[in-house]
Amino acid sequence: MAFLEFFVRFLPDLLSGMGMTLLLTAEGVLAGFILGLAATLARTYAGRFWRNLAIAYIELFRGTPLLVQVFLLYYGLPGLGITLSREWSAFLALGLNSGAYQAEYLRGSILAIGEGQMLAARAIGMSKWKAVFYIILPQALRLAIPAWANEPVSLLKATSVVFLIAVPELMTRAKLIASRTYDPISSYLAVAILYLVLVYLVDFVLKWLERRTRLPGLSAVGEH
Amino acid sequence: MTETPYILQAKNLTKIYGDNVIFKDICLDVHKGETIVIIGPSGTGKSTLLRCLNLLTPVNNGQIFLEGQEITAPSVDADQVRQKIGMVFQNFLLFNHLTALGNVMVGLTKVKKMSPDQARRKALHELERVGLADRANHYPAQLSGGQQQRVAIARALAMDPLIMLFDEPTSALDPELIGEVLGVMEQLAREHMTMLVVTHEMGFAREVADRIIFMEKGRIVEQGSPEDLFEHPQHPRTREFLGKISELYGKKEKK
């Protein structure tokens, strides 16, 4: 089968691109998590200045396309005297973008935990921030996992836009292979398969995480 | 520090939400070891009063003193004060991600900075006090409502409070689970814990309270010993309320 031969022949090349894709995804999810957590805590619990700053950040990065953010960082910042490498531009744009979405996922579950838990924590003498870290977050993060699990998957696929600033990730490799072999169908099909495998892997890890953190007595599939 | 016979004293407390006066000019003296039951129709500010007393909600006017020291003063660290005032809520509000033991321990380790070993020993002791040592490793979702409320009482007791506030502790419970919670509270009263209890359980009020306060529309209408209030209510509204509530609850509470 011609495609299989093609696939095997270019697999090493594609795999090195896959490495970059995974790296960008992992960095983006991690940076986005830290940013998103900070933004959502600021929005929910901090004073007015920090709250407004967090809201502005979230609205700005959810309200504009990822590609525009990538271009602004890579082509725009040099105009202000800041020049970032392709990889850094990609990493920053993905992290900032993902952070805005993750903030919203986390906020949803923090609100779902409710005022009651905060009240009970304050009633035994915890400060607001102690209550947030010891009582609210351990529950909110668990609760967020199923919805939040969309984010790594969606970011993984979104990393493909950074081929437009020629970061050597999966999509960039595919584009190169396509122009070298004049076989765009096989190239992009191969890439599609690899994305599918990656998404499946990420999903698998997240499902495991969800099971590991489930609280006894609260699961839908009863364990008593 | 001035010597005072009162654990808790409230002077002219007023709470207003918008145009809504929740309560006005409430004065309250709680003696050491006293069990006070606050009764009255819903929406008369009883729960809000409890939340104001441990500074979970600010009052608009008035002063609160804990062992003679004003806790409504602006310089007071409210987190410090709340450690000394235990609170039990209508809907338990256990921390759902922690076991029964964890619920009782978390205040000791994170607020009182006790070592985990010491905290575990104390927490187990408090769970024993409410008869739940054998449920220490259960999560809230694995406990009945009555058990959850007893863990919540143990969690408050673990902080060694000067006074315990109970906000309708049995209102969210199935009838057959009310007894076990009231039993724990009776035992606390016998041990001379100072308690302020908002409840509709008239049987408990009659048998355990040293003093009953009848509140309506944000005011204390009448207060006195259970005999005074139940047998010779002075105010017509008190009579009316007690009449209605004993019609509703009377039979169930006969022992």
Side-chain angles (χ1 to χ4, degrees):
Chain A
M1 213 181 130
F3 174 69
L4 207 63
E5 258 173 54
F6 182 95
F7 190 75
V8 172
R9 186 170 143 221
F10 289 104
L11 192 60
D13 210 15
L14 289 169
L15 281 182
S16 79
M18 198 160 130
M20 177 56 88
T21 292
L22 270 179
L23 185 67
L24 281 174
T25 307
E27 286 176 342
V29 167
L30 191 67
F33 178 72
I34 293 165
L35 268 172
L37 187 61
T40 214
L41 289 180
R43 182 169 182 181
T44 318
Y45 297 110
R48 187 148 50 134
F49 172 76
W50 294 106
R51 189 163 66 230
N52 287 337
L53 193 70
I55 291 173
Y57 158 65
I58 293 166
E59 295 299 313
L60 198 66
F61 280 88
R62 280 176 72 233
T64 54
L66 175 60
L67 184 57
V68 174
Q69 293 161 17
V70 172
F71 277 11
L72 273 176
L73 286 177
Y74 186 61
Y75 296 117
L77 281 187
L80 301 173
I82 307 165
T83 307
L84 297 174
S85 69
R86 299 167 197 284
E87 284 83 359
W88 266 99
S89 305
F91 160 62
L92 270 183
L94 288 167
L96 283 164
N97 184 273
S98 179
Y101 284 95
Q102 294 194 47
E104 290 297 273
Y105 287 125
L106 293 172
R107 194 166 85 96
S109 57
I110 283 177
L111 293 179
I113 294 299
E115 276 294 289
Q117 294 284 314
M118 175 59 91
L119 203 61
R122 299 307 299 274
I124 55 170
M126 281 196 187
S127 65
K128 180 165 75 176
W129 291 106
K130 267 190 189 171
V132 167
F133 284 104
Y134 295 123
I135 305 300
I136 306 290
L137 280 185
Q139 297 182 63
L141 292 180
R142 279 187 175 89
L143 195 64
I145 292 173
W148 174 86
N150 288 316
E151 182 55 23
V153 170
S154 123
L155 193 71
L156 172 74
K157 290 179 289 179
T159 55
S160 61
V161 309
V162 306
F163 98 91
L164 286 162
I165 58 168
V167 176
E169 47 72 73
L170 201 44
M171 192 62 195
T172 308
R173 304 278 173 166
K175 179 98 174 125
L176 284 174
I177 293 166
S179 56
R180 214 183 326 150
T181 59
Y182 302 107
D183 188 354
I185 295 184
S186 298
S187 310
Y188 295 126
L189 198 60
V191 147
I193 290 170
L194 290 177
Y195 273 115
L196 210 57
V197 169
L198 283 180
V199 166
Y200 182 80
L201 278 177
V202 169
D203 254 345
F204 183 80
V205 171
L206 290 168
K207 288 267 155 47
W208 172 83
L209 185 70
E210 195 184 330
R211 271 199 311 277
R212 272 299 301 272
T213 56
R214 196 175 281 160
L215 289 172
L218 281 181
S219 55
V221 249
E223 45 189 293
H224 280 284
Chain B
M1 200 174 115
T2 44
E3 212 38 60
T4 164
Y6 304 118
I7 290 279
L8 190 78
Q9 231 182 343
K11 288 184 180 163
N12 302 96
L13 292 188
T14 300
K15 177 70 187 172
I16 300 165
Y17 280 123
D19 298 333
N20 213 346
V21 179
I22 308 297
F23 51 76
K24 198 165 187 291
D25 288 331
I26 296 279
C27 294
L28 193 67
D29 299 323
V30 185
H31 295 79
K32 192 168 168 36
E34 194 178 20
T35 298
I36 298 180
V37 170
I38 304 179
I39 60 173
S42 309
T44 40
K46 299 170 308 224
S47 296
T48 312
L49 177 62
L50 288 194
R51 284 185 190 193
C52 287
L53 288 177
N54 76 345
L55 308 179
L56 284 172
T57 307
V59 285
N60 296 80
N61 214 343
Q63 293 169 296
I64 304 166
F65 298 85
L66 187 67
E67 284 195 317
Q69 296 203 317
E70 191 190 345
I71 57 172
T72 34
S75 60
V76 167
D77 179 356
D79 295 332
Q80 289 280 343
V81 171
R82 285 193 211 97
Q83 289 182 43
K84 300 181 199 155
I85 303 179
M87 177 116 184
V88 174
F89 299 91
Q90 180 177 348
N91 42 356
F92 331 134
L93 298 182
L94 288 185
F95 305 132
N96 292 314
H97 63 304
L98 298 175
T99 59
L101 187 70
N103 266 276
V104 185
M105 271 178 72
V106 71
L108 298 173
T109 53
K110 304 303 180 201
V111 180
K112 291 207 163 186
K113 306 278 180 205
M114 232 180 234
S115 75
D117 272 352
Q118 221 182 337
R120 183 171 295 111
R121 242 173 292 141
K122 177 143 176 70
L124 270 173
H125 169 73
E126 299 300 345
L127 283 175
E128 246 163 58
R129 265 175 101 179
V130 299
L132 285 174
D134 59 330
R135 292 285 184 276
N137 293 320
H138 286 56
Y139 283 86
Q142 299 171 310
L143 298 171
S144 74
Q147 291 170 336
Q148 287 190 52
Q149 192 61 299
R150 282 148 70 197
V151 172
I153 293 172
R155 174 175 70 182
L157 288 175
M159 303 302 286
D160 292 323
L162 296 167
I163 177 171
M164 289 278 285
L165 310 178
F166 293 85
D167 185 8
E168 300 200 27
T170 57
S171 296
L173 291 174
D174 289 339
E176 71 266 29
L177 301 177
I178 290 175
E180 60 187 78
V181 172
L182 292 182
V184 168
M185 291 166 64
E186 275 179 53
Q187 174 202 323
L188 286 179
R190 277 199 303 275
E191 293 167 4
H192 302 291
M193 169 59 77
T194 311
M195 302 201 286
L196 199 52
V197 184
V198 171
T199 186
H200 295 298
E201 296 295 330
M202 292 304 136
F204 177 83
R206 197 188 272 263
E207 280 165 37
V208 182
D210 298 304
R211 179 154 47 118
I212 296 180
I213 293 176
F214 175 59
M215 246 179 103
E216 188 179 52
K217 291 184 184 144
R219 286 176 185 281
I220 292 178
V221 177
E222 187 172 349
Q223 56 179 309
S225 68
E227 292 79 34
D228 287 347
L229 236 82
F230 281 104
E231 312 306 335
H232 322 284
Q234 299 299 308
H235 202 280
R237 277 299 299 144
T238 316
R239 240 168 294 167
E240 205 178 316
F241 177 78
L242 287 173
K244 268 190 193 141
I245 205 136
S246 54
E247 248 171 60
L248 268 170
Y249 292 86
K251 284 169 196 150
K252 189 180 76 197
E253 291 185 4
K254 286 273 187 287
K255 295 214 166 174

